[in-house]
Amino acid sequence: LKGIDDPKFAELYTCGFKYSDTEKYVESIQVHVRVATVDQASQYVHTNANFKITCDFVGKETPSSVTWSHKATADAAATTVTDQITDFGLELIDSKQAILTKSNPSSADDGEYTCEFDFAEMPSEKGTAKAD
């Protein structure tokens, strides 16, 4: 299975074959399909205005947490965004929707914002938006 991005394909798949009347091989694998999407591909930031980025998670699992990060430029290191940073607001709704808000943005807030849904026992899932 390759390139699957629809959670309806998330289930247990079993493959089996028979060597002879008495020997057979059966193997099962659980396929998890998860998608993180951002509401808009680009956000336009204007001084003294607000912006809001909504990131939705689609999948059968429930994320354990969400982390937002910001990269000012493509070659810059990402920094974690918290609600302790002035004028940023973070909200998590039903563990499936993450909302990042910024009031009074400036040109320093331009760049790429990424939401990362984290799971206790599985790799994370990311969605990204650009703010100009």
Side-chain angles (χ1 to χ4, degrees):
L1 300 172
K2 185 175 173 184
I4 296 173
D5 62 357
D6 188 331
K8 72 180 178 187
F9 293 107
E11 54 187 82
L12 184 67
Y13 290 86
T14 302
C15 174
F17 52 92
K18 204 174 190 181
Y19 292 107
S20 67
D21 288 340
T22 58
E23 294 181 89
K24 64 181 178 178
Y25 176 81
V26 176
E27 184 67 40
S28 297
I29 185 168
Q30 180 70 44
V31 175
H32 299 273
V33 179
R34 303 178 317 214
V35 181
T37 57
V38 177
D39 63 343
Q40 295 179 14
S42 186
Q43 298 280 329
Y44 294 93
V45 177
H46 304 282
T47 303
N48 298 322
N50 298 334
F51 74 85
K52 172 181 168 181
I53 302 172
T54 302
C55 187
D56 294 303
F57 171 77
V58 178
K60 292 184 178 181
E61 301 87 4
T62 300
S64 56
S65 65
V66 176
T67 304
W68 283 94
S69 61
H70 172 240
K71 284 178 72 168
T73 61
D75 58 345
T79 58
T80 301
V81 176
T82 70
D83 54 5
Q84 303 301 311
I85 300 173
T86 303
D87 298 327
F88 274 102
L90 305 174
E91 184 178 3
L92 182 60
I93 300 170
D94 296 329
S95 297
K96 300 277 186 167
Q97 185 177 67
I99 300 172
L100 171 72
T101 57
K102 173 70 171 145
S103 56
N104 303 314
S106 69
S107 60
D109 299 311
D110 288 355
E112 188 176 273
Y113 289 85
T114 300
C115 66
E116 183 171 358
F117 289 94
D118 300 306
F119 300 87
E121 298 180 11
M122 303 172 70
S124 61
E125 187 66 39
K126 296 179 183 181
T128 301
K130 185 172 174 151
D132 296 315

